[in-house]
Each structure stands twice: as C-alpha cells, then as structure tokens.
Amino acid sequence: MKVLVVGNGGREHALCWKLKNDSRAPELFCAPGNAGTAALGTNLDLGATDVAGIVSWAKANQPDLTVIGPEAPLCAGLSDELEAEGFRVFGPSRTAAELEGSKQFAKEIMKAAGVPTSGYAVFTDAEEACEYARERGAPIVIKADGLAAGKGVTVAETVMEAEIAIRDALAGAFGDAGSRVVIEDFLVGEEASILALIDGEHVVMLASSQDHKRAYEGDTGPNTGGMGAYSPAPIVTDAVLEKVRTEVYDRTLAELKKRGITYKGVLYAGLMIDNGQPSVVEFNCRFGDPETQAVLSRWDGDILPALEACVDGTLSEDLISWKSEPSVCIVMSAGGYPGDYAKGDVISGLDQAAAEDAIVFHAGTALDGDNIVTAGGRVLGVTALGSDLQTAVDNAYAAVKKISWKDPFYRKDIAHRELKRS
Ligand code: GLY
C-alpha cells in the first residue's frame, strides 16, 4: 500500500511515524517532508502547495491514500483536485476548509448554528475597526481573515496594541489574508484542543490535549505555532466533551450541511473552557501541531482503518482506542523563534534522546550530507509517555537534554498548569 503525506512539519512526521507502525506498514512518500520523514519513506521534491505537481505525481505513482497535513494546500483545493482524478484523500474540500481559511466564514457558521463562541465584527476600513476596538475596550482579539501562516492573530492587551494590529493587517502586513479583519471579544478560561475525525456524517473525537501557544514560561511572550502539548487535558471532562460534541460538532456540521457542504477529514476545535462551558476560539481544518505529536503517541493500534473510514463514510468509535498513559511533547525551537532565527545548524544527540524512551518528531529539520540540520523555527517535538503526567514530563525533558545545536530554545514548563493542580 502506498500512502502520500503532504507537509513538512512535526505533525507530518508524527503522521508518518504512526502510519509506518500500522500493521499494513505502507510505503510512505512525503511532499516535501523533513529529515524525520526521510528516515521512514521517500521525501518528494514537491512543495505542499504545489497542487499541480502533487496531482501529477499521484497520476504517475498511484497512491492508495493521500493524507494532507497543513491548511494551505487544503484551502488551495488539493483535496478536490486529487478526488477529481479518482484518488482517495484524507482532508476536507476547499469549501469545507474555509472554516480555517476565513475567520469570517467560521464565525458566520458558528453564529448561524448557535455554537458557543465570542462576539465579533468584521471590517475592511481601519478607522471603523479602530473605533469599534475603542468601544469594546481591551483585551480584545484581532484576526486577519485569511491564512497568515499562524501569524495573523493578536491578543491585544491594550487598545493601542489593537489599533496597531488592525492598521498593520489592513495595510497589507499579511497580504490579501489581512484585507479584512475579524475583531473578537476576549474569552476568559483555559484553552484546550479537540481534534475530531469526520466522515461527512459521523464524528469521532480524539483524545483531548492542551497546547502552549506563548513563547515563554508562564504563558508570556509572543504567540507561536505552539511550544508544547500534553494529552489528555483533564480540563476536558466527560461533561465538557459531551457539550463539545453536541454544541460544537453536531451544530457546525448541521449548518454546513444546510449550505450543501460536506466535511471529511479532521476538524480541530480550539476551545476556551470557563466553568465547564466550552467556547470555540478557532476552527482548523487539519490536525494541530504540536497536539498531533502528543495525541498520536497515545493512539493504541492502527491508524489507517480510521483514516480510510473517513474517506469511505464508515467511521465509528470502535476504530480508535487510547493508551492510558499521558503524553507530553516539548517543542525545541531555534533561538529567536518566533522572530528571526538561524538555519543550517548541525543537530546532535538525536540517538541518545531516542534511547531515553522518547520519540523525537522532526519539524524544521533537513539533511545536509550526513548531518541533520535546523531548517525552521520549530525544529523538534520531543515526545514521551509516562505512568503519570509528571513522569511523562520528566521523560520528555530527559530526552530534550540529550539534544543540542548552536542555539536551541524550549520552554521548561510544559504542562505546568496541570502539574500544579495534581
Ligand atoms: N497548535 C496550534 C495549531 O495547530 O494551530
């Protein structure tokens, strides 16, 4: 069996790792992949958004399944183009992916469906937007409407910060993605992530997780793609999960269906939970990163039957079970991330880290001759399980300490909230 995975991050390495361990052990191809995926299959010289190139490769090589990782190719219609050629694809259509591709569309769907989420307004004029932000006061959230490579969201602590974010976006800081801004009320509570598999009809929620989006300890500093995650997130109780199923997934899918949109693939709900009530902060049309590393490391058994069931419309809960041990993923980034950072530094200690019973998922890495070098902001996701959360945290950090390059940076407090509670 041939499986093509599209993308080059830690999420894609985790997907490849899980697929490779499937009892069918498929032959893996990754477009374009990283140094981690190169060890599990064949990296292709094709960018993730090279829709024409990927379709042409598929026609020549006939993959049995294509799993699309990132949002950009999904929003560019890669799933539609491959399906039109008769290929089996895990990942939503371009129209369904608009739940992530347009924050305005996502808010409209949620409002129409009665999904709990924050109040919002949409602007294309900077003066009107600033006036609205001044009226609402801070903290307030400014989002570029379109895809901005994870950089389009500002949680403004002051009105002045909000005005700067509004003016920057509408002046073109994110290109077309920021030609419209969505201004959202700030939600209080604790964040958690739910990834759900969907086959167009049935929804199966995966194990919960919690990401750490801020760069520095104590959840301070700039927003990043995510500096670490753990699973499960006990804040997501069974009662919360039931609300997420009925108030978030069921209502959203019903509203999409009303509009003639079928959702197939994974739908990530970024949640804020306040006193047991979840509200949606954002939808993503893909697996989260680094949530995937934490969640898939706990997936017990094969993943292919569940992904294929999403394609076939036969998804059911019994296709998925979980290890009871919690997991923790520590993201090691290049110094300076999420600002400017160096690339091309040689990474050492990867084998020693793996010997610590950790799984070292690669993100921004590349092969340079015999060396593995840094090639992105988030470089590695060092992931470990443990008999309890503290043990999982200790195991992951023990592995992190074996790894070095010129200027690594990582948060030392992943899972701190949960550890304080336990
Ligand atoms: N970890 C956040 C995201 O995947 O969007």
Side-chain angles (χ1 to χ4, degrees):
M1 180 182 194
K2 282 186 190 172
V3 178
L4 169 64
V5 174
V6 176
N8 65 347
R11 165 187 49 217
E12 286 75 27
H13 187 196
L15 283 163
C16 286
W17 167 83
K18 190 65 198 153
L19 285 160
K20 197 72 196 171
N21 283 299
D22 198 277
S23 43
R24 276 178 279 174
E27 187 183 1
L28 286 177
F29 298 86
C30 203
N34 56 33
T37 63
L40 299 173
T42 305
N43 281 353
L44 305 175
D45 190 16
L46 287 168
T49 52
D50 181 356
V51 174
I54 291 171
V55 172
S56 152
W57 181 88
K59 281 181 178 169
N61 294 277
Q62 299 293 315
D64 299 291
L65 179 69
T66 299
V67 180
I68 304 173
E71 63 279 14
L74 290 163
C75 291
L78 179 58
S79 184
D80 313 59
E81 299 288 330
L82 284 167
E83 278 191 355
E85 296 292 341
F87 293 107
R88 290 158 64 73
V89 185
F90 178 88
S93 66
R94 182 205 310 254
T95 319
E98 280 297 276
L99 280 180
E100 179 167 2
S102 167
K103 311 303 172 233
Q104 179 181 18
F105 176 72
K107 281 294 202 185
E108 275 171 17
I109 294 287
M110 285 190 263
K111 191 172 175 191
V115 172
T117 188
S118 58
Y120 76 103
V122 182
F123 298 91
T124 53
D125 179 85
E127 292 318 314
E128 286 173 21
C130 289
E131 179 61 33
Y132 178 80
R134 284 192 289 274
E135 270 167 29
R136 302 299 293 176
I140 193 159
V141 181
I142 315 298
K143 292 184 178 175
D145 177 52
L147 294 184
K151 296 197 168 80
V153 177
T154 302
V155 180
E157 306 286 349
T158 63
V159 169
M160 187 182 288
E161 213 184 313
E163 290 195 30
I164 291 168
I166 289 165
R167 291 186 200 285
D168 280 354
L170 291 174
F174 309 113
D176 275 357
S179 58
R180 197 183 290 132
V181 292
V182 179
I183 304 185
E184 299 181 5
D185 294 341
F186 178 77
L187 287 169
V188 294
E190 187 167 334
E191 282 193 67
S193 307
I194 295 291
L195 313 173
L197 299 185
I198 301 173
D199 68 356
E201 205 56 55
H202 311 101
V203 177
V204 175
M205 292 182 286
L206 305 186
S208 61
S209 58
Q210 188 175 85
D211 188 13
H212 298 63
K213 295 227 171 63
R214 299 297 187 116
Y216 309 138
E217 268 111 51
D219 298 314
T220 58
N223 259 316
T224 69
M227 296 302 293
Y230 64 94
S231 172
I235 183 104
V236 184
T237 59
D238 287 349
V240 169
L241 214 48
E242 192 47 31
K243 279 175 184 275
V244 175
R245 174 186 300 284
T246 54
E247 296 177 12
V248 176
Y249 286 106
D250 290 353
R251 290 179 190 175
T252 299
L253 293 184
E255 182 60 31
L256 288 175
K257 202 176 274 182
K258 228 195 265 180
R259 298 175 187 223
I261 301 170
T262 301
Y263 199 101
K264 281 185 166 201
V266 63
L267 180 58
Y268 164 139
L271 303 169
M272 190 66 81
I273 299 163
D274 186 31
N275 280 321
Q277 177 59 47
S279 299
V280 175
V281 176
E282 62 177 356
F283 277 134
N284 294 318
C285 60
R286 52 168 174 84
F287 285 101
D289 189 339
E291 290 95 328
T292 302
Q293 293 86 314
V295 169
L296 291 195
S297 61
R298 298 186 56 232
W299 183 308
D300 205 9
D302 288 351
I303 190 171
L304 268 169
L307 300 185
E308 291 189 302
C310 285
V311 180
D312 296 332
T314 55
L315 186 64
S316 63
E317 298 276 351
D318 59 9
L319 290 170
I320 300 168
S321 61
W322 301 101
K323 294 179 182 165
S324 57
E325 296 102 317
S327 65
V328 176
C329 170
I330 315 292
V331 171
M332 297 184 75
S333 68
Y337 173 81
D340 293 341
Y341 52 82
K343 290 184 186 175
D345 292 319
V346 176
I347 304 169
S348 61
L350 291 167
D351 291 342
Q352 290 87 330
E356 290 288 327
D357 244 0
I359 315 162
V360 181
F361 292 120
H362 291 227
T365 68
L367 291 170
D368 181 11
D370 288 341
N371 290 322
I372 294 177
V373 298
T374 65
R378 290 189 295 172
V379 177
L380 300 169
V382 181
T383 306
L385 276 68
S387 51
D388 57 23
L389 186 61
Q390 183 65 64
T391 310
V393 166
D394 293 344
N395 290 344
Y397 279 113
V400 163
K401 291 200 175 90
K402 303 283 180 192
I403 299 172
S404 62
W405 67 85
K406 197 170 168 202
D407 186 23
F409 172 76
Y410 58 91
R411 272 181 62 164
K412 319 264 180 321
D413 67 344
I414 299 305
H416 66 105
R417 274 212 204 90
E418 198 50 51
L419 289 176
K420 253 177 232 143
R421 273 194 290 259
S422 57

